[in-house]
Amino acid sequence: MSRDVTVLIVDDEPAIRRLLHVAMTRAGHRVVEAASAREALAALHIDKPDVALLDLGLPDRDGLELVPLIRGAGVAVLVISARDETGQKVAALDLGADDYVTKPFDTEEVLARIRTALRHRLAGEAEAPVVRFGDVEIDLGARLVRKHGAEVHLTPKEYAFLAELAKSPGKVVTHSRMLRQVWGPGHEHDVEYLRVAARGIRRKLEDDPASPSVIRNEPGVGYRLMA
Amino acid sequence: MSLLLVALVTLAGLLVPAPGGITNVGLLYLIPVMVAATRYGLRTGVVTGLASSLAYNFFFIPPTHTFTIQDPQNIISVLVLLGVAVVASQLAARVRAQALLAGRSAAHNSALAAFAQGLTGLSTREAVARTLCAETGRLLDVQTVLLVPAAGGLEIAAAAPRAPHLEMLDLTAARWAGDHNRPAGRDTDTLSASEWLFHPVSAGARLHGVFGMARADARAPLDSDRAPLLQSLLDQAGLAFERIALEQEMAAIAHITERDRLRAALLSSVSHDLRTPLTAVLGALAALRAATPEDEAHLATARVEAERLARFVGNLLDMVRIEAGALHQTIEPVDLGEAVASAAHDLRGVLDDHPLRIAIAPDLPFVLVDPQLFHHCLINLIDNAAKYGPPGSPVDIVARREGAAGLVLEVIDEGPGLPPGEAARVFDTFARIEGSDRKGGTGLGLAIVQGFAQAMGLAVTAGNRADRQGACFAIRFDAGHVKESAGEG
């Protein structure tokens, strides 16, 4: 896939826009800037970006309101937020944002998140049948998990948990989404189920459960598969 | 006047021959006696009674025109007249005294009401002091002065009709009255040589002033029957002083609250404004590629310091949130092992030089905390341990059950440990341990740990490890913060 990627940068701070602009250009992306929600919505229709980097603190409109609008236009959304705004991050993710980065962010991390979001977008819902990372292999077609080539026995919930993460490797899955997908609606607040499942998976897959290399916990937000 | 009545009755008795004889004329004499006794009191009553009986005797009792009495029955008539005079005058005198008292008490009450009414409109101590002196001076017809507590003793706040010259003795009496909350000076048991009588003016436990009164003619300043009035006036004034004092305290508190709010808003806005340029600086530094090894060293320094600045700004914001009471919590079951791993991940730069040794039993129950706040507690504790430990020294994290249903998590370093007596102080905002060699940081980190932990109801303690040199910080979870696993559901 060699077609150019267009990145829409939505932030009212010129310094942040300039920083991201340089980083995106260096990575070979085309860049469109917007300093307000109004400009962002205009650029969405004129420039047809592939991904939007969205700061939630905009002067003219709550950035959260933009999330469904941008996603509705078929554009991936990466939210840029302050670290003390966990509630906003979760809200943005639940509204359809693909992922988030926390200020102050590392531009390499932003580029990695963009790649993950775009890969997922381009692949569509037809996810790769086998996800490999390190010595762990998740076969989504056969519903099998192997470590060092040997099959690991997970409980059905543990497998469903891992599979949900493996559908979009590297992308955060919020607690409520995971609970809804694996345990069903009505269990969206039973975070304890997640903790139990995550602990079970780590015990079976991690070499050192104390410093995990398979599943990463984002405190208060969700889990992601380490890509 | 009453004697005139006696003469009138006599004349009437002489001119109009009484149908029932002289006894009925005697009854007529009761009229002047009653009138005199009720109107003018005992003495006049008795005099009138005597005059009546003499007149009756002289003009009507045979032998008339003499003061001799022949019939013993007529002696009784005279005695009855006298007796009636005495009894009636006493009854009347009592009624009159009560009426006088009632009248005076009504006057007192209306004076008090007017005084209280006047006080409610006043908003300064000075005005209350002036009103108290002027009104009390007018009502009791005395010279007045109000002394209020001031630096080093008492000073005159108001006086009527003019500021008096107080002798040392008077001031001593005034001070005694204030100190003991009892009257002193003239006509009291204490320092009675003073010309002035001093009463404390207080409300609740607070002394607002000492009220003094005297008379220019050196008579006793206070009649005993006016004492209740004075006490009521002083009580009213005390309440007015108390009301004003409370109003001023409320205003002061409101001022402090407003100042705190402004400070928090300022800090918050400064922190936010710092974060944006920091993000830009960090991003630009990360993107820069050094041309020479020397540049590489400068770049590394710039990156490390910018990251430290970013952490500090983050801590500053957290502190603002703690002090503003703006911590929003979402309590969830949290796996201690997972939480420590997340904190270690975020601190990977800091921990390059300090291996983390984690000893957390895999089947430990979950704890009930806000995951974000707890995450920052762990980050600050581990960061602190790494900061104190010598290069290359490990940081130990141990979690285990404690007591019947509790848990404890300890972060242990190999640093210099805490000086004796400093264990509690390390959590103070901006605290730095004397003589310690701190590598950067401001001491905000541990204050944030305590602020967040307290917000979640957790106890944090600091101490020294027993086995070797080093500090040990512990977070304790009681039964209410431990969630025994109920299975996968």
Side-chain angles (χ1 to χ4, degrees):
Chain A
M1 213 43 93
S2 62
R3 102 184 161 87
D4 284 347
V5 170
T6 301
V7 180
L8 170 62
I9 301 170
V10 189
D11 197 312
D12 60 327
E13 294 287 348
I16 304 290
R17 288 203 305 273
R18 199 178 315 126
L19 168 70
L20 288 170
H21 195 135
V22 171
M24 297 304 124
T25 310
R26 180 179 296 184
H29 302 324
R30 203 165 73 83
V31 176
V32 182
E33 289 187 24
S36 64
R38 203 171 45 79
E39 288 180 28
L41 290 174
L44 204 56
H45 297 292
I46 296 165
D47 299 289
K48 308 279 181 206
D50 300 282
V51 59
L53 303 181
L54 175 66
D55 188 307
L56 293 179
L58 293 176
D60 57 340
R61 203 161 162 185
D62 186 349
L64 278 180
E65 292 176 23
L66 286 186
V67 174
L69 296 178
I70 300 174
R71 287 290 279 108
V75 178
V77 176
L78 195 60
V79 166
I80 299 169
S81 92
R83 78 188 179 97
D84 50 354
E85 290 165 352
T86 309
Q88 282 218 312
K89 288 178 207 166
V90 174
L93 291 169
D94 285 341
L95 282 170
D98 290 78
D99 215 323
Y100 67 90
V101 288
T102 303
K103 277 189 201 174
F105 50 77
D106 180 351
T107 48
E108 290 303 318
E109 194 183 351
V110 176
L111 286 168
R113 294 279 154 82
I114 289 176
R115 276 196 298 277
T116 303
L118 288 178
R119 187 168 56 228
H120 188 54
R121 179 62 32 80
L122 295 174
E125 293 306 310
E127 60 262 3
V130 178
V131 179
R132 290 189 187 82
F133 51 96
D135 45 22
V136 175
E137 192 177 280
I138 304 170
D139 188 335
L140 293 170
R143 302 177 63 83
L144 283 177
V145 178
R146 296 186 200 87
K147 184 175 164 73
H148 300 302
E151 193 183 330
V152 177
H153 292 282
L154 298 179
T155 69
K157 296 294 187 203
E158 286 169 357
Y159 174 79
F161 184 108
L162 193 59
E164 190 62 31
L165 295 179
K167 281 178 193 168
S168 48
K171 216 176 106 171
V172 72
V173 177
T174 62
H175 289 164
S176 59
R177 176 179 166 83
M178 181 68 87
L179 284 162
R180 202 167 48 236
Q181 295 294 108
V182 178
W183 281 268
H187 289 289
E188 287 171 16
H189 300 289
D190 294 330
V191 177
E192 190 183 359
Y193 295 170
L194 298 179
R195 306 293 187 208
V196 173
R199 184 182 273 189
I201 294 167
R202 287 213 181 88
R203 194 175 300 168
K204 292 166 188 173
L205 291 184
E206 300 280 7
D207 294 325
D208 177 10
S211 49
S213 59
V214 177
I215 303 174
R216 195 157 111 209
N217 166 45
E218 303 284 358
V221 179
Y223 289 91
R224 70 169 90 234
L225 207 61
M226 289 191 186
Chain B
M1 178 64 193
S2 51
L3 292 180
L4 200 71
L5 263 176
V6 174
L8 228 90
V9 168
T10 310
L11 203 66
L14 287 175
L15 293 179
V16 185
I22 57 165
T23 317
N24 287 353
V25 176
L27 286 177
L28 274 181
Y29 277 106
L30 284 174
I31 296 169
V33 171
M34 294 285 275
V35 169
T38 50
R39 285 199 63 133
Y40 306 110
L42 178 61
R43 197 181 305 169
T44 319
V46 169
V47 167
T48 313
L50 268 173
S52 298
S53 49
L54 284 176
Y56 181 45
N57 187 345
F58 191 79
F59 293 106
F60 297 102
I61 297 177
T64 50
H65 307 295
T66 69
F67 287 109
T68 359
I69 300 173
Q70 280 179 340
D71 190 343
Q73 201 188 337
N74 291 331
I75 294 178
I76 294 172
S77 297
V78 171
L79 289 178
V80 165
L81 272 176
L82 277 174
V84 165
V86 169
V87 170
S89 65
Q90 275 179 347
L91 282 176
R94 201 173 300 158
V95 169
R96 207 168 46 248
Q98 276 169 0
L100 190 72
L101 269 181
R104 187 180 282 186
S105 134
H108 284 184
N109 284 343
S110 69
L112 259 179
F115 182 64
Q117 182 75 34
L119 287 181
T120 52
L122 303 177
S123 55
T124 66
R125 295 164 185 279
E126 293 72 26
V128 172
R130 272 198 306 277
T131 305
L132 172 65
C133 286
E135 286 298 296
T136 312
R138 193 176 59 78
L139 286 169
L140 302 181
D141 188 26
V142 288
Q143 282 183 278
T144 58
V145 64
L146 184 74
L147 303 159
V148 294
L154 294 169
E155 66 176 26
I156 294 179
R162 70 195 72 80
H165 175 71
L166 294 177
E167 305 288 344
M168 199 54 171
L169 176 67
D170 305 327
L171 287 172
T172 310
R175 222 172 358 252
W176 193 93
D179 291 346
H180 295 81
N181 203 22
R182 273 162 52 191
R186 177 83 188 254
D187 299 330
T188 68
D189 298 335
T190 311
L191 298 164
S192 55
S194 169
E195 280 296 305
W196 289 78
L197 169 61
F198 290 102
H199 280 83
V201 180
S202 55
R206 187 149 40 173
L207 179 78
H208 290 289
V210 178
F211 178 77
M213 49 200 288
R215 281 187 204 275
D217 56 9
R219 280 191 295 126
L222 184 66
D223 307 330
S224 59
D225 62 337
R226 296 290 186 97
L229 173 64
L230 175 69
Q231 198 51 56
S232 301
L233 291 170
L234 295 181
D235 287 348
Q236 293 285 355
L239 287 176
F241 279 125
E242 184 73 8
R243 170 177 59 79
I244 290 169
L246 288 177
E247 280 171 5
Q248 286 174 347
E249 281 161 20
M250 289 294 290
I253 290 170
H255 178 71
I256 290 170
T257 311
E258 175 66 7
R259 204 181 53 196
D260 281 358
R261 203 186 59 74
L262 276 176
R263 195 180 58 177
L266 185 70
L267 268 178
S268 168
S269 127
V270 165
S271 305
H272 181 263
D273 289 350
L274 283 175
R275 197 156 45 187
T276 296
L278 264 174
T279 302
V281 167
L282 279 169
L285 287 173
L288 274 179
R289 295 289 172 269
T292 67
E294 194 183 325
D295 285 354
E296 183 52 47
H298 288 320
L299 262 181
T301 307
R303 283 183 195 127
V304 167
E305 295 305 315
E307 275 165 15
R308 175 179 293 172
L309 201 54
R311 266 203 305 279
F312 174 66
V313 169
N315 275 348
L316 209 56
L317 262 177
D318 287 340
M319 208 64 229
V320 169
R321 288 159 68 212
I322 291 171
E323 293 198 340
L327 295 179
H328 300 291
Q329 298 186 41
T330 313
I331 302 299
E332 289 176 359
V334 166
D335 187 336
L336 281 178
E338 196 174 274
V340 169
S342 294
H345 177 83
D346 282 6
L347 280 172
R348 54 198 182 277
V350 174
L351 291 173
D352 280 349
D353 205 19
H354 296 275
L356 207 55
R357 298 193 305 206
I358 301 171
I360 299 176
D363 57 347
L364 221 50
F366 302 138
V367 294
L368 291 170
V369 294
D370 177 284
Q372 268 291 323
L373 296 186
F374 189 61
H375 182 67
H376 288 299
C377 281
L378 286 174
I379 283 185
N380 278 306
L381 281 180
I382 297 171
D383 187 37
N384 181 70
K387 207 153 37 184
Y388 272 109
S393 68
V395 172
D396 285 289
I397 298 184
V398 180
R400 60 172 185 277
R401 287 180 181 271
E402 189 181 62
L407 285 182
V408 60
L409 179 132
E410 292 175 324
V411 179
I412 304 164
D413 64 48
E414 293 187 357
L418 306 171
E422 298 283 4
R425 233 176 56 80
V426 296
F427 293 114
D428 291 351
T429 309
F430 296 115
R432 278 166 180 267
I433 302 299
E434 286 294 320
S436 72
D437 175 28
R438 296 215 55 166
K439 301 166 191 158
T442 56
L444 264 188
L446 291 177
I448 288 165
V449 171
Q450 193 179 47
F452 283 1
Q454 278 175 352
M456 291 185 285
L458 304 176
V460 192
T461 53
N464 285 322
R465 54 194 294 179
D467 57 336
R468 53 160 295 154
Q469 197 185 41
C472 171
F473 290 83
I475 302 183
R476 288 196 157 72
F477 307 86
D478 58 24
H481 289 88
V482 173
K483 172 87 178 170
E484 297 291 345
S485 178
E488 186 180 335

